[in-house]
Amino acid sequence: METEATVPVTKSGSEEAVSMETGSGDVDLSAPSNTKDVEDDETKPSDSTHDERDGDGDRKTVDEVNDPYSYTKRDEFTSEIYKIEVSNLPKHYGHGQLKKMFANQLKLKPNKIKIFNRATHCFVTFRCEEDRETAIQAINSHTWKKCQLKAKKANPSEDPLIKRTQKRRAESEDSENRNKMSKREEEESMLLDDTIPIHERLNHVVTPLWQQSYSEQLKIKEDDMREFLCHLAKRLEKQCPNIAVHIRTQKRLHKQQCCNMEDIKSSPVIDNYRNKSEFSIGVSPDGQEKTIGFKMGRYKGGFDTVVEPSQCKHIPESMKTVVKAIQTYVQNSDKPAYSNHNHQGCWRQVTMRTSQNGDVMVVVLLNMHNLTKEDVDKEKESLRAYFEDGPASEHKPSSLFLQTLKERLGVKSVHNIDGPCELLLGDPVIHEDLLGMKFRISPDAFFQVNTKAAEVLYSTIRDWSGVSENTTVLDICCGTGTIGLTLAKNVKKVIGIEMSEQAIEDAKYNAKQNGIDNIKFLCGKAEDVLHKAIHNIYGCSDVVGILDPPRAGLHPRVIRAIRGCPFVNRLVYVSCSPRSAEGNFIDLCRPTSKRMKGEPFRPTNAIPVDLFPHTKLCELIIMFERDTPQRQRRDSSPTLETFTATSQSEATPSQSDAVTNIPAECGTTQTSPVTAGEEGQTVENTDGGGGITPTTTSTSTEEGTNS
């Protein structure tokens, strides 16, 4: 029995995806996990970074280094010690359905649920032994979807770093095992190859395409996006029978893609483009403690070292210079670096932002391990003096913040609580210019990490979405309002929705600063405030929705709310990770049902935009249009393409002429019927935070493919 631990994602917006590729956080070198889970912040093997010393600098015991279950023996809370395995589950179910069954039918209190695609077993953890025993008894006497469930105790997951270390040791004793390495293991082996300079190994992690010419990079990304659209076409054809006929037509017209895809748009800048990065603090490969830079890989893959970003092509020199200055300060400090392995230590992370006008913002994250308020106050004053009139005064940032992180204290306090960003020096915000407009950026605000390429992205959205002076734009996940504000002068009205109060304040300020008065911002979860937006767009004849969500996509409730908004007939979805947002695309196109109300959408056009040179990441914009009854009737009518394909071998010249004279309103869509055998089963995704991703299909109209 083996489970795979996961690292909770805390960042938002598309820059989150960038950080995973560029090293602004842990980089996953392993194959994508098929598991989905919802968990509280607790001690677990997946989110720890191994350190040979504890928080006080003492050597760890042999068990701490070699025992893959040592994390379960600490005083800290981990639900892994209260785990069960549930078997004999039905073949088709959603994470949300399972979660509701546990909570509503059995009255259980699960802490973490981990399911596997196409598997009839799952793992569930609880907060105490009493809850676990109650769950085992309840589940063993419960029948769900005609399946008699079974439950038994399960072992905790092994610490992945210790497990990987033991594996390396075994491999070194038997060199023949190296010939059996998978591609992933070969990549990890490269990272351990001391004959390769350390900066090259880091570049392979954070910017894997750094050795390719930019034209080659664009070719790789464009091919990848086309491959995804082919994959999406298969899923839509299988899972969305309502548009299956249309999808088949699009596949023939566009080389098996679900819709037309235009050529990729390149980034105007290739090097030194990142305006935000998150740097870890840890031990370097040569043993230098309190090094600031990027991690060489994820703890899950057995990597825990940090390398300076001095030779990373995507990081601007101004950022590298200030990082070096902070590293000098931290190394001279008597406080240790934070260890994710044992959750001890103080210096944890440095987040930096820069702007084209020279602004530099620094946020230092300090863990409150064994620190009193007086200790923190003393550190604040010391850090401020270091940059204001001390050794690093020539590198003084425009904004310097310190943010504290409370340490976890056991079962009664399993959540890490971030304190506010406290300004130590300079201005509370920095400013950036984009498309002739000025934007205020606060420490937590989302802003695209490549400003010049963001201008290309937003200009493409404006030109490509067909907005006019009669258009109302519904900007969902608007952040600081960048997309909506750049469109405002070309449309009738913009309504922005964002759950971050600080981002909304920035958005309102940005609108006022740029003299834009036809935009309104609503604060709250999109699924909760969309009904307010509907009142603002009532009677509008042309409403375009803009979606630019975080890497994982939108909550299913948001998709259902959009589906249920009858005024939105066109939807522009901007995704930095299309495969992660695939469930959203499928839900947009599902047939109308009691759960998924409102007419479905169909994809009509797509275009990739490169915001992240040297990485494998790329933004993909997909245009969705309502699958209206008129379009459905056109899909079911005889078409030029179908008529030509079936008649060409027998057609006489006069018949061929007749074909060319078919009226345009007949359309050009596929007419072959969908048989019962061609329709795939639909698996609803009812999970609040992810679950078994439903497979579906999407469609596009001829108008969309020609746009």
Side-chain angles (χ1 to χ4, degrees):
M1 176 180 61
E2 182 178 352
T3 59
E4 184 173 353
T6 60
V7 180
V9 177
T10 58
K11 293 184 285 295
S12 66
S14 61
E15 67 188 58
E16 168 195 17
V18 181
S19 68
M20 297 188 70
E21 185 69 52
T22 61
S24 305
D26 293 343
V27 181
D28 187 3
L29 300 178
S30 61
S33 170
N34 288 327
T35 65
K36 306 286 181 182
D37 65 349
V38 175
E39 57 189 76
D40 287 330
D41 190 7
E42 59 177 66
T43 301
K44 53 189 178 297
S46 63
D47 66 349
S48 56
T49 300
H50 185 66
D51 194 342
E52 287 292 331
R53 298 179 182 273
D54 61 22
D56 299 321
D58 297 325
R59 300 294 295 184
K60 291 193 284 189
T61 64
V62 174
D63 286 344
E64 184 79 2
V65 176
N66 297 320
D67 181 7
Y69 301 102
S70 61
Y71 75 95
T72 66
K73 303 171 185 177
R74 304 187 193 125
D75 294 334
E76 297 172 330
F77 170 74
T78 173
S79 65
E80 285 288 323
I81 61 177
Y82 307 119
K83 180 190 286 187
I84 66 172
E85 179 182 6
V86 181
S87 58
N88 203 35
L89 291 166
K91 291 183 179 180
H92 302 293
Y93 67 94
H95 186 285
Q97 293 174 321
L98 184 65
K99 187 177 178 182
K100 289 180 181 178
M101 185 269 289
F102 285 147
N104 299 339
Q105 297 181 28
L106 301 182
K107 308 300 181 183
L108 302 181
K109 302 175 182 178
N111 183 65
K112 181 171 63 176
I113 302 173
K114 184 177 291 294
I115 65 175
F116 304 82
N117 286 346
R118 297 180 296 277
T120 58
H121 73 282
C122 72
F123 292 96
V124 187
T125 66
F126 299 86
R127 291 186 175 278
C128 63
E129 183 62 30
E130 181 182 356
D131 288 350
R132 176 163 74 166
E133 291 295 339
T134 300
I136 291 176
Q137 294 178 12
I139 293 172
N140 280 327
S141 60
H142 186 68
T143 299
W144 187 46
K145 294 190 175 184
K146 300 181 181 180
C147 294
Q148 177 61 52
L149 304 184
K150 298 179 181 179
K152 63 180 181 180
K153 293 183 178 180
N155 293 327
S157 299
E158 293 181 285
D159 187 306
L161 178 61
I162 297 177
K163 182 179 178 181
R164 176 62 178 162
T165 301
Q166 293 173 341
K167 184 177 180 180
R168 289 180 191 145
R169 190 179 300 124
E171 288 176 350
S172 65
E173 296 173 355
D174 185 3
S175 59
E176 292 182 0
N177 288 341
R178 295 187 178 275
N179 297 327
K180 302 177 182 179
M181 284 184 177
S182 65
K183 180 179 180 180
R184 176 172 60 107
E185 290 173 324
E186 289 176 357
E187 292 176 350
E188 294 176 353
S189 177
M190 179 274 294
L191 298 179
L192 298 171
D193 189 350
D194 293 334
T195 63
I196 301 176
I198 188 65
H199 73 274
E200 292 188 12
R201 284 183 272 164
L202 178 64
N203 282 333
H204 281 300
V205 174
V206 299
T207 50
L209 303 181
W210 69 290
Q211 291 181 314
Q212 307 276 357
S213 68
Y214 190 50
S215 59
E216 291 174 330
Q217 294 181 31
L218 293 176
K219 176 69 164 54
I220 291 171
K221 296 181 182 187
E222 184 172 298
D223 289 347
D224 182 56
M225 292 298 99
R226 292 190 184 281
E227 180 182 341
F228 169 74
L229 292 178
C230 292
H231 163 75
L232 183 60
K234 293 178 181 178
R235 298 198 63 187
L236 290 171
E237 184 178 3
K238 179 181 178 182
Q239 293 294 319
C240 296
N242 53 310
I243 58 173
V245 171
H246 177 75
I247 288 296
R248 294 192 191 104
T249 299
Q250 298 305 305
K251 288 171 67 176
R252 285 199 301 273
L253 293 174
H254 306 299
K255 300 180 179 179
Q256 302 302 307
Q257 297 169 182
C258 64
C259 64
N260 174 60
M261 191 186 91
E262 299 178 19
D263 294 340
I264 188 171
K265 288 184 176 287
S266 61
S267 170
V269 291
I270 302 174
D271 298 328
N272 309 318
Y273 61 83
R274 281 194 68 92
N275 58 40
K276 180 185 177 183
S277 288
E278 295 175 353
F279 300 99
S280 300
I281 305 177
V283 181
S284 68
D286 58 3
Q288 177 66 55
E289 296 189 3
K290 293 186 280 191
T291 298
I292 301 181
F294 295 135
K295 291 186 177 181
M296 285 291 290
R298 286 185 64 178
Y299 182 89
K300 177 180 175 181
F303 298 92
D304 66 330
T305 54
V306 175
V307 178
E308 295 181 27
S310 58
Q311 298 191 53
C312 291
K313 301 178 71 173
H314 62 318
I315 302 299
E317 291 301 321
S318 59
M319 199 176 282
K320 295 176 183 177
T321 300
V322 178
V323 164
K324 191 70 175 178
I326 299 174
Q327 178 175 282
T328 300
Y329 176 86
V330 170
Q331 289 178 344
N332 291 331
S333 167
D334 59 353
K335 297 175 177 60
Y338 179 82
S339 169
N340 278 326
H341 181 69
N342 55 28
H343 309 294
Q344 297 178 356
C346 301
W347 301 110
R348 183 158 186 175
Q349 180 178 284
V350 175
T351 301
M352 291 191 60
R353 290 181 181 269
T354 60
S355 68
Q356 297 177 108
N357 57 23
D359 288 345
V360 176
M361 176 184 288
V362 177
V363 180
V364 179
L365 185 60
L366 186 69
N367 185 53
M368 296 285 287
H369 174 67
N370 292 338
L371 296 181
T372 64
K373 183 179 183 300
E374 291 72 22
D375 293 332
V376 175
D377 290 341
K378 182 179 178 180
E379 200 63 57
K380 291 177 183 176
E381 177 57 30
S382 176
L383 186 59
R384 183 198 61 76
Y386 177 73
F387 278 105
E388 186 170 42
D389 50 21
S393 58
E394 61 179 313
H395 307 305
K396 181 169 64 175
S398 309
S399 307
L400 176 62
F401 293 86
L402 183 74
Q403 185 176 27
T404 56
L405 186 70
K406 293 184 179 180
E407 61 179 325
R408 59 188 89 197
L409 301 174
V411 178
K412 294 184 179 180
S413 179
V414 298
H415 292 286
N416 287 344
I417 304 174
D418 292 350
C421 287
E422 184 172 345
L423 181 65
L424 304 183
L425 182 67
D427 299 322
V429 297
I430 62 174
H431 296 85
E432 182 63 287
D433 297 330
L434 186 146
L435 291 176
M437 305 174 69
K438 293 186 179 297
F439 291 88
R440 184 179 78 177
I441 305 173
S442 57
D444 295 329
F446 170 75
F447 197 87
Q448 289 286 0
V449 299
N450 185 340
T451 304
K452 287 297 184 184
E455 293 183 333
V456 175
L457 178 69
Y458 298 155
S459 297
T460 301
I461 293 173
R462 180 194 62 208
D463 300 337
W464 192 71
S465 57
V467 296
S468 69
E469 59 184 12
N470 296 318
T471 302
T472 296
V473 172
L474 192 60
D475 187 4
I476 303 172
C477 302
C478 67
T480 56
T482 48
I483 296 180
L485 289 170
T486 56
L487 292 175
K489 294 181 180 180
N490 303 97
V491 300
K492 179 180 179 180
K493 179 167 54 176
V494 177
I495 300 170
I497 299 175
E498 170 62 47
M499 64 183 298
S500 169
E501 293 184 7
Q502 181 58 57
I504 287 292
E505 290 303 313
D506 287 341
K508 291 179 178 178
Y509 177 88
N510 292 333
K512 184 177 180 180
Q513 180 177 237
N514 290 284
I516 296 175
D517 56 7
N518 63 333
I519 190 166
K520 181 177 182 179
F521 295 102
L522 302 176
C523 186
K525 294 182 178 180
E527 61 269 30
D528 296 332
V529 301
L530 263 175
H531 68 281
K532 296 181 181 179
I534 291 176
H535 293 300
N536 286 275
I537 62 178
Y538 184 80
C540 297
S541 59
D542 183 29
V543 180
V544 177
I546 307 288
L547 300 175
D548 187 10
R551 173 185 173 88
L554 292 166
H555 193 286
R557 287 200 297 267
V558 181
I559 299 298
R560 291 198 292 270
I562 294 171
R563 284 274 303 258
C565 184
F567 301 104
V568 180
N569 289 318
R570 300 199 308 284
L571 201 60
V572 179
Y573 198 119
V574 185
S575 175
C576 63
S577 179
R579 288 174 175 81
S580 299
E582 187 176 320
N584 284 173
F585 303 153
I586 291 167
D587 284 344
L588 285 170
C589 301
R590 288 186 184 280
T592 303
S593 65
K594 184 180 296 185
R595 178 178 176 80
M596 198 66 68
K597 299 178 181 179
E599 295 292 340
F601 288 85
R602 53 168 64 178
T604 59
N605 209 357
I607 183 169
V609 182
D610 184 25
L611 266 70
F612 320 109
H614 307 305
T615 77
K616 295 180 180 179
L617 298 173
C618 181
E619 297 275 357
L620 180 65
I621 310 173
I622 302 181
M623 170 70 80
F624 289 90
E625 295 184 5
R626 286 281 187 181
D627 187 34
T628 61
Q630 292 84 356
R631 290 194 177 97
Q632 295 170 8
R633 286 195 296 270
R634 186 169 60 219
D635 283 351
S636 62
S637 63
T639 68
L640 171 63
E641 181 186 30
T642 303
F643 186 85
T644 303
T646 56
S647 310
Q648 188 172 18
S649 60
E650 302 176 359
T652 64
S654 59
Q655 288 174 324
S656 298
D657 293 339
V659 171
T660 60
N661 292 326
I662 291 178
E665 38 292 6
C666 289
T668 59
T669 52
Q670 170 67 15
T671 61
S672 58
V674 181
T675 65
E678 291 173 318
E679 296 182 8
Q681 292 183 338
T682 298
V683 181
E684 290 285 352
N685 181 358
T686 58
D687 173 27
I692 294 180
T693 304
T695 54
T696 62
T697 58
S698 68
T699 65
S700 61
T701 64
E702 184 184 7
E703 292 90 336
T705 58
N706 291 333
S707 63

